[in-house]
Amino acid sequence: MRIVLLGPPGSGKGTQAALLVEQLEVPHISTGAILRDATKKGTQLGLQAKALTDKGELVPDNVMSELLEERLGSDDVDNGFILDGYPRNLAQASSLEALLERLEKPIDQAILIDIDDDQIIKRIARRALEEGRADDTEETVRNRLRVYAEQTAPVADFYAERGLLTKVLGEGSRNEIFQRLLSIINLDAVSQ
Ligand code: ADP
């Protein structure tokens, strides 16, 4: 089961991805988490990424595609994966499609978690208090939402054109949203 989770910052993608991987027993690949980890370790990638993520800007496509190629080349993705945070623009969507074609592991389903901006801002303000993420400041959040609207929202159309997109309402409790996700994932395909 190879799934791309899409949704604006604060839509609950990361939370839902964590619940899904438990159920589906496939790895959770969060590019945001990979970058934060690299930053914590102080690697060259991490330092380069921090300057951009702190402003809510995207890390360059070539850096991300190299990172994805390495991650998706590992054996643990043989039974599938949940991709969270990638692709974030049309160039990344095309490069992912080409990579997965080469690996003979095409995406089965793209799921967009749909939620409006008011809810997002409330959630991120709460997360800022709970987790203290450096990119959850008001100014950076505003920029992340702008980057999402301009660059990432078109990625949903990319998958819709390929007949792979399903939208799920991102309002309600964690569990309500999770049940909605489970109901649209083809679980028959999981056991194969
Ligand atoms: P959110 O979805 O809440 O914005 P993420 O944890 O997915 O947060 O990403 C945090 C930051 O990491 C992004 O704002 C961006 O700067 C960087 N990032 C993550 N994934 C990508 C990507 N695919 N391409 C470029 N930058 C990325």
Side-chain angles (χ1 to χ4, degrees), residues 173-185:
S173 70
R174 257 164 229 230
N175 193 45
E176 274 163 356
I177 300 162
F178 183 52
Q179 294 308 322
R180 275 180 217 139
L181 282 171
L182 285 182
S183 73
I184 57 125
I185 289 174

Side-chain angles (χ1 to χ4, degrees), residues 2-61:
R2 292 176 291 269
I3 296 176
V4 167
L5 265 191
L6 301 170
S11 60
K13 267 185 322 226
T15 305
Q16 294 300 328
L19 294 170
L20 278 176
V21 298
E22 230 174 87
Q23 177 89 22
L24 305 178
E25 296 181 341
V26 293
H28 175 191
I29 303 178
S30 158
T31 49
I34 294 172
L35 295 175
R36 282 189 289 280
D37 193 47
T39 301
K40 222 185 290 161
K41 288 187 181 135
T43 65
Q44 200 196 343
L45 164 71
L47 298 177
Q48 186 191 355
K50 185 169 167 50
L52 294 161
T53 57
D54 278 358
K55 287 188 288 189
E57 298 294 330
L58 297 184
V59 172
D61 292 341

